[in-house]
Amino acid sequence: MNSTVKNIFAVIIGLILGSIINMVIIMISGSIIPPPNGADVTTMEGLKETMHLFEPKHFIFPFLAHALGTLFGAFFTALIATNHKTKFAFIIGFLFLIGGIINTIILPSPTWFTVLDVVGAYLPMAWLGWKITNIITKK
């Protein structure tokens, strides 16, 4: 397979797998840490209206979803990519970062969470995913 095609495929697979992991964690989060009483988490409008009811514990799983989605997406991208593995892992991190920024615009969250999420969940996790790939493949 042509290296350019394989690298594009790696990014697509990384985005898909990272997004799936992100969504699965978000979907199970409410059964582990129930939303606050009266919070409507089924719609974006409901979330916006009841965001003030959320406590710090309610932000654990969104952070984990963003961080682990990015981590695994970058990991699989770096694992599959033919060359420039670091660059492609960081492309995943950057794309997830853009998604995270858009999410904070659409669904405002507390400032502390926005900063933690934007600073800690995307580019550092992309780097870690790439680093784990290097350790596993011994490169």
Side-chain angles (χ1 to χ4, degrees), residues 118-133:
V118 168
V119 171
Y122 303 106
L123 298 180
M125 292 298 116
W127 176 84
L128 187 58
W130 164 75
K131 195 70 171 164
I132 292 169
T133 303

Side-chain angles (χ1 to χ4, degrees), residues 72-95:
F72 282 98
F75 168 78
F76 284 110
T77 297
L79 191 64
I80 297 168
T82 305
N83 50 23
H84 305 289
K85 294 174 182 286
T86 310
K87 177 169 60 173
F88 290 114
F90 274 102
I91 286 172
I92 295 297
F94 183 71
L95 292 172

Side-chain angles (χ1 to χ4, degrees), residues 15 19 22 44 62 65-67 70 90-109 113-114 117-118 121-123:
L15 286 172
S19 296
N22 184 326
M44 195 63 82
H66 301 163
T70 304
F90 274 102
I91 286 172
I92 295 297
F94 183 71
L95 292 172
F96 275 90
L97 173 62
I98 291 170
I101 291 170
I102 291 169
N103 191 49
T104 61
I105 292 168
I106 294 171
L107 182 63
S109 57
F113 176 73
T114 300
D117 196 49
V118 168
Y122 303 106
L123 298 180

Side-chain angles (χ1 to χ4, degrees), residues 6-25:
K6 189 170 181 182
N7 290 338
I8 292 169
F9 176 73
V11 170
I12 292 169
I13 292 297
L15 286 172
I16 291 170
L17 292 176
S19 296
I20 289 170
I21 289 167
N22 184 326
M23 288 208 267
V24 166
I25 293 171

